[in-house]
């Protein structure tokens, strides 16, 4: 009689519930012929053991098992599996090993079902060698045994091993199931591998399984094969929420925000209700694209999952990244549960958007709340110090982060210090710090130094930093142009020619400036020199008028390109067509005055556009926010939150 039929057995008549333990003890296996006295003795021993196992009383169960061992009797597989559950819950490794030993003692042959339980136990205890040894001894292996091992190797990132096991499994004549494939797919470390697997899944007919599908979509997305992912998705007759989440998440991971959002819309049209995972992905997509209006729509859906921490954090991040501090403040205030991510997101959000003192105040509240800061929090705090010009405070946090919070400074913290020193004009100290870094300075660190050189007009260090950047990023057009501008300004024509030659040799082309603005849930892109926008004529006329009026209040186009990454030939005329100017004017034409004009840019804003935006914000009483790849500029009342430093 197996365990299942025992469970299904109806109780004998007259055996009331009070007289029987919750589960009838199974008649013990015995290696010796059963005489009546031993049977009674054995069954009471097994009864006791069973009782302790179900009560999860590990010490007593182990004792009872010891007595059973002496009498060479065994309980049933289900009872042992209960005991192993108990060992796993308590991380009782040595007890787990004793149970394993007992079950195999004296020539007793446990069923495959039970051996699989031990296999799983070793895997969960992260004892892969022991799991493998047990697996090797198994007289018979079923799909569960194989899948347990494949999943274990796949989780341990031993991808070759996982794939090897799949092949051995197929050779052994055991058919993989959906769980096998979803594990093995995650172990694929190359596309040819993946395509081959996809074929074999297709042959076995598992390709319509929801789990396998979503694993396939995840993995194709991971390898940047979004079209293939989409094809797998589209082939499905019925998509369920798991699969929708996989495909939307895939697009959001790959920073294809538009793709993710379009899929989200189709999902809603298909009548699916988004869950937390969907909304988190969609929010990530909105964050990437800085789509505030769409993010706000998602917020409405998020309200259904009131007080879900992960979702609230995603919402907070979206509002911060879209530069809408009002919304992020109110989201933060409403959150009942806050973790280190929530606090750090808010601190960084405030700091990046120019509210340094508020960020530092929030850091104090965080410490009072008892939540321990992590490396990201400290980064936000240093960022705030650097933006508020609090050189000493910043230095204090940098030097004491290890002592007070047990966090080693990483490259980003050094970068922040370089920024801090650079802003304060302490360029030599900044260089000294870079040379002292324990990790290799990366391109961001050098760019930070270069930014400081631009502000403090230090051409020598600028050349040094620019050369370092070009060593790390030989395709960085802006830096070549900046370097050649510096050389040209000091009449070093040979070096100018050299830079131009290098650019030509390396096939470097200038990335055109591009600005995006969202109006009526539509994204409008403006590119320097591109006239395809349907209202471009109107925008140009409006822009000329505005510039004319601005000149009356003192605007002088800034054509000093020496420390800027603009081509020297670009004089006043072409300045006028910088993409952010077009986007700002379009925003003014299309949005009511009380709406903030929010623009995203692919390259840094130039000095002239910065002055233009400041003066325009004042003259027209508008709020303008521009997010470039490095920071945010909030233009309001004639000043910018960056303090003219970027
Ligand atoms: Zn510009
Ligand atoms: Zn600014």
């Amino acid at each position: 009689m197996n365990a299942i039929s025992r469970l299904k057995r109806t109780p004998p008549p007259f055996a009331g519930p009070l007289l029987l333990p919750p589960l009838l003890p199974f008649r013990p296996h015995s290696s010796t012929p059963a005489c009546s006295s031993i049977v009674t003795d054995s069954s009471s021993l097994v009864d006791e053991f069973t009782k302790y196992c179900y009560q999860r009383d590990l010490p007593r169960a182990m004792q009872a098992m010891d007595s059973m061992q002496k009498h060479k009797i065994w309980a049933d597989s289900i009872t042992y599996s209960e005991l192993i559950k108990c060992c796993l819950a308590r991380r009782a490794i040595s007890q787990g090993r004793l149970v394993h030993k007992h079950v195999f003692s004296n020539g007793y042959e446990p069923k495959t079902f039970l051996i699989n339980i031990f296999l799983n136990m070793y895997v969960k205890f992260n004892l892969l060698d022991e799991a493998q040894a047990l697996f090797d001894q198994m007289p018979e292996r079923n799909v569960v045994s194989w899948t347990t091992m494949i999943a274990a190797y796949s989780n341990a990132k031993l991808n070759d091993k996982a794939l090897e096991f799949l092949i051995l499994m197929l050779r052994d004549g055991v058919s993989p199931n959906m769980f096998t494939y979803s594990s093995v797919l995650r172990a694929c470390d190359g596309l040819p591998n993946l395509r081959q697997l996809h074929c074999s899944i297709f042959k076995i007919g598992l390709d319509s399984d929801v789990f396998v599908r979503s694993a396939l979509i995840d993995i194709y997305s991971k390898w940047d094969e979004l079209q293939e992912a989409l094809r797998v998705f589209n082939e499905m007759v019925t998509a369920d929420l798991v699969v929708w989440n996989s495909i939307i998440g895939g697009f959001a991971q790959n920073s294809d925000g538009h793709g993710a959002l379009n899929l989200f819309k189709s999902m809603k049209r298909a009548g699916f209700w988004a869950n937390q995972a969907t909304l988190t992905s969609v929010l990530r997509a909105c964050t990437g694209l800085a789509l505030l209006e769409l993010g706000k729509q998602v917020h409405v859906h998020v309200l259904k999952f009131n007080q879900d921490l992960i979702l609230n954090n995603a919402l907070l991040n979206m509002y911060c990244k879209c530069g809408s501090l009002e919304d992020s403040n109110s989201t933060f205030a409403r959150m009942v549960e806050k973790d280190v991510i929530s606090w750090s997101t808010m601190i960084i959000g405030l700091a990046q958007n120019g509210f340094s003192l508020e960020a530092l105040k929030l850091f104090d509240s965080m410490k009072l709340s008892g939540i321990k800061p992590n490396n990201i929090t400290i980064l936000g705090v240093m960022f705030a110090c650097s933006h508020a010009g609090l050189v000493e405070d910043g230095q204090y946090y940098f030097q004491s982060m290890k002592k007070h919070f047990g966090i080693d400074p990483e490259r980003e913290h050094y970068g922040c210090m370089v920024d801090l020193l650079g802003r304060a004009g302490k360029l030599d100290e900044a260089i000294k710090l870079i040379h002292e870094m324990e990790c290799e300075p990366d391109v961001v660190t050098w760019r930070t130094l270069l930014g400081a050189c631009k502000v403090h007009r230090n051409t020598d260090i600028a050349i040094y930093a620019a050369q370092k950047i070009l060593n790390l990023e030989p395709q960085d057009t802006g830096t070549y142009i900046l370097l050649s501008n510096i050389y040209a300004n000091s009449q070093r024509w040979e070096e100018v020619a050299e830079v131009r030659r290098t650019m030509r040799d390396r096939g470097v082309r200038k990335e055109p400036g591009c600005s995006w603005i969202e109006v009526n849930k539509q994204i409008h892109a403006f590119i320097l020199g591109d006239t395809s926008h349907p209202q471009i004529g109107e925008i140009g006329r409006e822009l000329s008028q505005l510039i004319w009026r601005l000149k009356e209040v003192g605007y002088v186009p800034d054509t000093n390109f020496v420390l800027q990454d603009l081509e020297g030939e670009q004089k006043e005329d072409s300045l006028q067509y910088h993409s952010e100017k077009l986007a700002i004017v379009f925003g003014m034409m299309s949005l009511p005055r009380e709406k903030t004009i929010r623009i995203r840019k692919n390259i840094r804003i130039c000095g002239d556009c910065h002055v233009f935006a400041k003066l325009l914000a004042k003259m027209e009483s508008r709020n303008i926010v521009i997010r470039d790849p490095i920071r945010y500029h909030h233009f309001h009342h004639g000043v910018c939150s960056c303090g003219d430093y970027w």
Side-chain angles (χ1 to χ4, degrees), residues 57-67 83 87 95 98-99:
D57 184 339
L58 187 59
R60 290 216 172 99
M62 292 307 289
Q63 259 174 18
M65 192 185 80
D66 217 33
S67 316
L83 183 57
C87 291
Q95 282 90 336
L98 283 175
V99 182

Side-chain angles (χ1 to χ4, degrees), residues 29 74-77 80 99-118 134 137-140:
H29 300 271
W74 289 268
D76 64 294
S77 304
Y80 286 121
V99 182
H100 173 194
K101 209 172 136 201
H102 158 73
V103 162
F104 277 88
S105 62
N106 296 310
Y108 180 68
E109 284 173 11
K111 293 196 171 69
T112 308
F113 164 78
L114 186 54
I115 307 181
N116 285 340
I117 302 270
F118 286 110
L134 178 60
Q137 286 165 20
M138 287 179 81
E140 194 186 311

Side-chain angles (χ1 to χ4, degrees), residues 605 610 631-635 640-646:
I605 181 169
H610 200 264
R631 67 189 76 241
Y632 297 81
H633 302 267
H634 285 253
F635 300 96
C640 178
S641 61
C642 75
D644 296 339
Y645 185 104
W646 71 95

Side-chain angles (χ1 to χ4, degrees), residues 165-174:
F165 264 66
L166 177 74
I167 296 165
L168 293 174
M169 174 181 188
L170 291 167
R171 275 192 204 148
D172 212 29
V174 181

Side-chain angles (χ1 to χ4, degrees), residues 578 580-581 606 609:
H578 278 186
E580 56 268 59
K581 288 201 185 79
C606 82
C609 289

